[in-house]
Amino acid sequence: MDPSSSTRMPGRFVPASGGHVPVRVRGFLDASAPARAAHADRGFAVVLARTEHDVVKVLDGATVLGFLPPAWSELVDFELWSCEQAGEPALARAVLEGPVGQRDLFVMLDWPRRRA
């Protein structure tokens, strides 16, 4: 998933600033990792979607890979709402860490800047 690639992915990346903080996805099971993740050196795209329970689910197609922690769900809520209003899926870069069978999934998000 090279951001400089000429291939445009359908959707909008969240956060808009690119994301720098790896946030661990809760409830992730290594067996549900997408096959393309094994060959993705720089990560792979996942979809973020709001739920009625005020948490954000992390999706690969129709497969729910897990959920963001509540505090992070709250931080990205407005961007996800904005994507919904525009009719675009909210995408994020995801990475797998650890040995096969015991990997954790992380989504790259952006720590909010303090306003002066």
Side-chain angles (χ1 to χ4, degrees), residues 34-66:
R36 71 182 188 286
H39 307 290
D41 297 349
R42 297 183 59 195
F44 56 98
V46 293
V47 174
L48 301 179
R50 299 185 319 154
T51 69
E52 62 275 1
H53 304 292
D54 296 328
V55 293
V56 173
K57 58 186 170 182
V58 179
L59 301 157
D60 177 51
T63 304
V64 176
L65 299 175

Side-chain angles (χ1 to χ4, degrees), residues 44-100:
F44 56 98
V46 293
V47 174
L48 301 179
R50 299 185 319 154
T51 69
E52 62 275 1
H53 304 292
D54 296 328
V55 293
V56 173
K57 58 186 170 182
V58 179
L59 301 157
D60 177 51
T63 304
V64 176
L65 299 175
F67 300 89
L68 294 183
W72 282 100
S73 293
E74 186 177 326
L75 283 172
V76 298
D77 185 68
F78 179 75
E79 282 192 81
L80 299 184
W81 177 84
S82 297
C83 289
E84 288 175 6
Q85 298 306 302
E88 298 179 306
L91 304 175
R93 185 165 58 101
V95 293
L96 289 171
E97 293 288 331
V100 175

Side-chain angles (χ1 to χ4, degrees), residues 24-25 27-35 37-38 44 63-66 95-105:
R24 187 171 185 252
V25 175
F28 173 71
L29 299 174
D30 195 12
S32 66
F44 56 98
T63 304
V64 176
L65 299 175
V95 293
L96 289 171
E97 293 288 331
V100 175
Q102 300 175 11
R103 296 178 293 187
D104 287 317
L105 178 66

